[in-house]
Amino acid sequence: MVLEAPSIKAKTTITWEPLPANFILPDDPVENIQQTALAAALTDALGASGYIQPEMLIGSNLGLVATVNKKIVVKAPDWFYVPQVHSVPEGVIRRSYTPNTDGAAVTIVMEFLSEAEGGELSIRSTPPYGKLHFYEQILQIPTYVTYDPYDSSLEVRYLQDGRYILHPVDNQGRLWIPQLELYLGIWSGERLGQTMNWLRWWDKSGNLLLWSSEQAEQERQRAEQERQRAEEERQRADREHQRAERLAAKLRELGIESEP
């Protein structure tokens, strides 16, 4: 008889330690120009609409740090959100973020899928950890969003009972992001001279959160409308004045003096 030894899964120990000053962060290149533009547009709309507060942290390609079995692991998502962080001393630039040490846990993370396999949906549970495994099992981030700009596919996964559960979009093609109480969806159009399928925010009432450039254009149009109204009022007043002048002249011709 052959006895088989039971498989033994090593216990994973996770600690939250500040990143050593001499630690060399990965310097992976951005895989396509859309990634930077998508992240910037998401943050811009939140800021322009007053959703960003000083205690929050919204980052793009900033390393999220965890120490797993005494080894430092760093992943830099395309976009992430932390509701409250500790401030850094004046003049110090934040080069990474360690949850539960530098502030609260990360609550939203987004990855924009690349043409090549980038591990955004990888569940690899051994080093180098897949991103989905890292966000789900190590950082335990409540909301994980993935967007494929090549086929306009948007997915959101909520952490439930320790596992990510994929949730479908609503009948408008949008996804609810509970941590911000906003909807996220795809919008086709132009921003800063770049036309593509963007990720945009909508509030509970279905109102689109405008980018700062859109708000500026909206304000310009409002100012132009005010200028046009003022010009029309001036022209109306001029016409009234001219009519009164003509009437006074006619009365004088008839020998009638108009009352002042």
Side-chain angles (χ1 to χ4, degrees), residues 50-57 83:
Y51 278 82
I52 300 178
Q53 301 301 317
E55 68 273 12
M56 297 176 179
L57 175 62

Side-chain angles (χ1 to χ4, degrees), residues 37-108:
L38 286 166
L42 285 167
T43 304
D44 177 75
L46 292 176
S49 301
Y51 278 82
I52 300 178
Q53 301 301 317
E55 68 273 12
M56 297 176 179
L57 175 62
I58 293 177
S60 176
N61 292 313
L62 183 74
L64 302 181
V65 182
T67 301
V68 184
N69 296 332
K70 298 184 179 181
K71 292 184 179 181
I72 296 173
V73 182
V74 181
K75 300 287 185 184
D78 292 315
W79 193 93
F80 70 89
Y81 166 80
V82 186
Q84 189 170 20
V85 300
H86 305 321
S87 60
V88 295
E90 186 177 352
V92 174
I93 298 175
R94 196 186 298 273
R95 62 191 293 261
S96 65
Y97 184 76
T98 302
N100 308 308
T101 295
D102 293 335
V106 181
T107 59
I108 307 169

